[in-house]
Amino acid sequence: MDRFRMIFQYFQSNSESVMNGICGLLALGSVKMYTSFDFSCPCLPQYNMAYGLGIMFIPPVILFLCGLILNRQSLVMLEEWRRPAGRRKKDLAVIRYMCSSIMQRAMVAPVVWIIVTLLDGKCLICAFSGSVDPEKFVGFANVSTVQVQQLLAKVPCRDDELMRNTSRKAVSRYLRCWSQALGWSILLILIIAAFLARWLRPCFNQATLLQARHWSNYIDIEQKIFEETCCEHSRLFAHKCILHFFESMRQEIKLHSFSLPGEGEEAEGEQDLLQGITDQDQVNKLLKTWYYEKPPLDVTKPPKSASCEGPRVPDAVTVNDISQPRAL
């Protein structure tokens, strides 16, 4: 269980290489899922389109949500967007950068699924076989409208006795051609967009991008350090509570020949690590203060005496203030 927890925490880290690896695994997983999926079109006029479009677009939604869940920055971005301004102003540029990075990574696997389905052509043939103009193909003459719709709906069914003719193959080739053309067009557009975004980025203001990237990483690291500090405080707090319990049960413990932990330098060290937060109300007040009044982004000013009644701290400096050079 501990090993699984360590692996999960590792994959939820803020490392871009890890997140890119997760995106790649999701993309490969989407291809594997599609190749192993047994596609069976119902070949009924009222169900073909719903089934074909459902297979094409519902799995990408699931993959998109999985990409958001596995990305730790999605939760950090939402917390930063929804938190009260308090003593630290919120920078919308940082939030936009985090949202853009999250969306780009989460969209990789869904786009791969859609492109693979279009290049394969089965979904589009199943969805739009009934929408083809029968006058463009031979073999549908002298057939009523209802029969034409039934015949077109059975185009994806190769084993059907009614469709073992050249008309079925012509309609199938026609729709597969359009499907593959659409898939390659989407892939080409995405590659061109990625190329332009990559090579035109130096033409824009790099200072703003560097600031947004820096502070987005800072927000994530700050949250992780705060959680680790809370875990350490919880461990020490629980240790002190257990010691108090054993102290109250001293007489009973002596009867059973148990020895109490010694009180000395170790206890004093733990008391220092508790930072004076020694009861439940103080801990709740500290967490509430952290949420509503985060400390300002300025470590040059000496810290004031903090208490659980809500410390008064100066206004937070913004990213633009920090980026301005100071006069010597």
Side-chain angles (χ1 to χ4, degrees):
M1 187 65 184
D2 293 337
R3 183 177 299 177
F4 175 78
R5 187 186 308 164
M6 292 175 60
I7 295 175
F8 183 75
Q9 291 176 353
Y10 173 76
F11 277 104
Q12 278 201 329
S13 64
N14 191 36
S15 174
E16 292 189 1
S17 59
V18 174
M19 294 311 306
N20 293 335
I22 292 177
C23 294
L25 290 176
L26 285 175
L28 293 176
S30 65
V31 175
K32 183 63 177 179
M33 287 170 55
Y34 183 80
T35 55
S36 61
F37 177 71
D38 187 13
F39 185 87
S40 300
C41 185
C43 297
L44 296 173
Q46 62 270 29
Y47 297 114
N48 279 10
M49 181 170 291
Y51 182 81
L53 295 181
I55 295 299
M56 185 179 294
F57 293 109
I58 291 179
V61 174
I62 298 174
L63 292 171
F64 177 76
L65 295 177
C66 290
L68 294 180
I69 293 173
L70 294 176
N71 196 335
R72 186 181 186 276
Q73 273 198 338
S74 58
L75 181 60
V76 175
M77 185 268 294
L78 290 176
E79 291 178 352
E80 179 67 16
W81 178 47
R82 294 295 301 170
R83 72 169 177 85
R87 303 297 181 181
R88 181 190 300 179
K89 296 180 181 179
K90 291 187 288 187
D91 194 340
L92 295 180
V94 176
I95 297 177
R96 286 195 299 267
Y97 176 82
M98 296 175 69
C99 182
S100 175
S101 177
I102 293 168
M103 292 300 174
Q104 289 177 11
R105 291 188 173 95
M107 287 296 295
V108 173
V111 170
V112 170
W113 175 278
I114 293 175
I115 291 176
V116 169
T117 55
L118 289 175
L119 294 179
D120 184 60
K122 294 179 181 178
C123 292
L124 194 137
I125 293 174
C126 179
F128 295 101
S129 61
S131 303
V132 175
D133 186 5
E135 296 181 356
K136 296 181 179 181
F137 307 94
V138 296
F140 296 101
N142 301 324
V143 181
S144 63
T145 305
V146 177
Q147 291 178 342
V148 167
Q149 292 299 321
Q150 293 178 351
L151 291 175
L152 290 177
K154 294 181 179 296
V155 167
C157 302
R158 299 180 179 179
D159 298 332
D160 196 284
E161 294 292 338
L162 297 177
M163 297 308 299
R164 290 183 177 178
N165 52 42
T166 58
S167 299
R168 188 206 71 83
K169 296 180 180 180
V171 175
S172 179
R173 285 196 301 266
Y174 175 76
L175 291 175
R176 180 172 283 106
C177 176
W178 276 104
S179 179
Q180 293 178 350
L182 183 60
W184 284 113
S185 300
I186 294 176
L187 183 60
L188 179 62
I189 291 173
L190 292 176
I191 292 175
I192 293 176
F195 174 81
L196 294 177
R198 183 76 172 180
W199 288 95
L200 294 180
R201 180 182 296 178
C203 300
F204 298 93
N205 188 3
Q206 291 295 300
T208 304
L209 178 63
L210 291 175
Q211 291 172 1
R213 181 185 299 174
H214 171 80
W215 291 113
S216 65
N217 292 333
Y218 169 83
I219 292 171
D220 182 65
I221 294 173
E222 181 189 54
Q223 184 66 24
K224 289 165 61 177
I225 294 177
F226 179 77
E227 293 175 358
E228 293 172 358
T229 306
C230 288
C231 291
E232 182 65 19
H233 183 275
S234 299
R235 188 189 68 82
L236 296 174
F237 190 80
H239 190 198
K240 296 294 291 185
C241 289
I242 293 173
L243 290 180
H244 278 288
F245 172 75
F246 276 91
E247 182 68 23
S248 63
M249 302 294 292
R250 179 180 293 273
Q251 297 300 327
E252 184 176 351
I253 293 173
K254 286 183 178 180
L255 292 176
H256 291 81
S257 301
F258 289 106
S259 59
L260 289 173
E263 297 182 359
E265 297 180 356
E266 182 179 357
E268 294 178 358
E270 291 181 354
Q271 187 69 23
D272 294 337
L273 292 175
L274 288 175
Q275 300 293 334
I277 311 300
T278 56
D279 60 54
Q280 183 178 3
D281 293 336
Q282 290 177 341
V283 173
N284 292 335
K285 186 65 178 180
L286 181 141
L287 296 175
K288 185 177 180 180
T289 303
W290 172 261
Y291 179 74
Y292 286 101
E293 299 181 4
K294 285 192 176 182
L297 300 176
D298 190 350
V299 297
T300 60
K301 297 181 180 180
K304 295 184 178 181
S305 57
S307 64
C308 290
E309 297 299 327
R312 305 297 297 176
V313 292
D315 293 337
V317 296
T318 61
V319 175
N320 294 329
D321 297 332
I322 295 179
S323 62
Q324 295 295 333
R326 298 183 179 180
L328 298 176

